[in-house]
Amino acid sequence: MIHVDDLTFSYGSRSILDHLSFHIEKGGFYALMGPNGCGKTTLLRCIAHLLKPQQGTIRIEGKLVQDYDARSLAQHIAMVRQQTVPDFEFSAFDIVMMGRNPYQRRLQATTDADFQIVENAMQTTHTWHLRDHLPSQMSGGELQRVMIARALAQQTPIMLLDEPTSNLDIAHQLEIMQLLQAINRTEGKTILIVVHDLNQALRYCPQSLLLHQGHLFYQGHTPQALTPQHILEVFGVEASSVEGFLHYQRPFSN
């Protein structure tokens, strides 16, 4: 579904991603993890063709990402960024309807099919009752579910999510992760999500990629990715596993 080969990206002289290679299988649910500044967001933006790498290739379903036009790429990849408030006060329904833009020609009227797709997406994310609400009238968790509904309305086989649970309380974090798990299982969407909570990755994401200093440190099943030794090397903290949950003991120091 996604093939990344020898990907290198830098901001000026600062190297962010260094000869990164991996592939994402169709229908997988992958956590993307690593310390701050290791290149997680940059990687998502490269896959979505929002950034152009200095070296390497990215293929989506066998086709180079740069060979897609913007409309076609938006029919393959939907991206949910870190929690943001839209610049304009659109209703939740209008925000989700924006997910239909890749399928609509300029000045084309919204069809009954578009309305049904949007309603289905909002029902799936339990946001239909918020359809007339403005962002300022919604909680952080509600707004994030609306943004996920917009991605669902885009009807792409791939979803990229950049810390969708950041700044949410624990109840809303779990709600978002459970929602994504259900979407992956019932709709077969390929999901790559930036996760900071390692226990959430263990609970919800069967597969993981660990980034460390711009390199792919490990890719594989999440329990094998998040061993105490890997956590020590990547995050610099000591951890132990008790009944399937990680417990952080103390910062690592030389």
Side-chain angles (χ1 to χ4, degrees), residues 24-33 148 157 159-161 164-165 173-186 188-195 200-209 219-223:
I24 298 292
E25 298 288 349
K26 182 178 181 180
F29 191 177
Y30 291 78
L32 179 59
M33 294 176 285
I148 293 172
M159 290 179 65
L160 308 177
L161 301 104
T165 62
Q173 289 180 31
L174 295 176
E175 183 181 63
I176 294 297
M177 294 303 294
Q178 290 166 0
L179 170 62
L180 293 172
Q181 184 183 61
I183 290 169
N184 170 255
R185 289 177 174 177
T186 60
K189 289 186 183 290
T190 304
I191 296 177
L192 178 60
I193 174 175
V194 174
V195 178
Q200 284 187 8
L202 277 170
R203 182 174 182 180
Y204 295 105
C205 307
Q207 300 286 329
S208 289
L209 292 89
Q219 178 179 2
H221 295 296
T222 302

Side-chain angles (χ1 to χ4, degrees), residues 31-232:
L32 179 59
M33 294 176 285
N36 289 340
C38 71
K40 301 183 295 294
T41 296
T42 298
L43 175 57
L44 291 191
R45 290 175 65 82
C46 285
I47 294 173
H49 202 44
L50 299 173
L51 293 174
K52 183 179 179 180
Q54 284 78 30
Q55 182 177 319
T57 61
I58 301 170
R59 296 179 184 272
I60 305 297
E61 296 187 330
K63 183 177 178 179
L64 289 170
V65 68
Q66 63 266 29
D67 289 343
Y68 286 93
D69 60 40
R71 181 184 296 271
S72 295
L73 187 60
Q75 294 175 5
H76 284 78
I77 296 176
M79 186 166 179
V80 179
R81 306 176 190 231
Q82 294 183 35
Q83 188 181 47
T84 57
V85 177
D87 293 332
F88 301 98
E89 285 280 271
F90 293 104
S91 70
F93 184 89
D94 289 336
I95 291 171
V96 179
M97 184 60 75
M98 292 175 189
R100 301 304 302 156
N101 288 346
Y103 303 93
Q104 298 170 341
R105 299 193 178 278
R106 189 177 182 184
L107 302 180
Q108 177 184 341
T110 301
T111 66
D112 290 341
D114 290 324
F115 276 101
Q116 189 60 58
I117 290 167
V118 167
E119 180 178 348
N120 290 344
M122 297 189 79
Q123 294 283 10
T124 296
T125 55
H126 309 294
T127 55
W128 181 241
H129 67 288
L130 301 170
R131 58 190 177 276
D132 295 324
H133 286 51
L134 301 176
S136 59
Q137 299 170 320
M138 291 183 277
S139 70
E142 289 172 338
L143 181 57
Q144 197 66 308
R145 282 189 284 124
V146 167
M147 303 311 287
I148 293 172
R150 183 176 71 175
L152 286 180
Q154 208 168 319
Q155 291 192 315
T156 60
I158 299 170
M159 290 179 65
L160 308 177
L161 301 104
D162 190 5
E163 299 184 54
T165 62
S166 63
N167 302 318
L168 299 181
D169 62 38
I170 187 63
H172 286 108
Q173 289 180 31
L174 295 176
E175 183 181 63
I176 294 297
M177 294 303 294
Q178 290 166 0
L179 170 62
L180 293 172
Q181 184 183 61
I183 290 169
N184 170 255
R185 289 177 174 177
T186 60
E187 301 191 23
K189 289 186 183 290
T190 304
I191 296 177
L192 178 60
I193 174 175
V194 174
V195 178
H196 274 299
D197 188 318
L198 305 188
N199 281 311
Q200 284 187 8
L202 277 170
R203 182 174 182 180
Y204 295 105
C205 307
Q207 300 286 329
S208 289
L209 292 89
L210 279 180
L211 295 188
H212 182 49
Q213 297 179 351
H215 298 275
L216 180 63
F217 180 89
Y218 188 89
Q219 178 179 2
H221 295 296
T222 302
Q224 283 71 54
L226 295 179
T227 64
Q229 184 60 38
H230 288 171
I231 293 170
L232 179 61

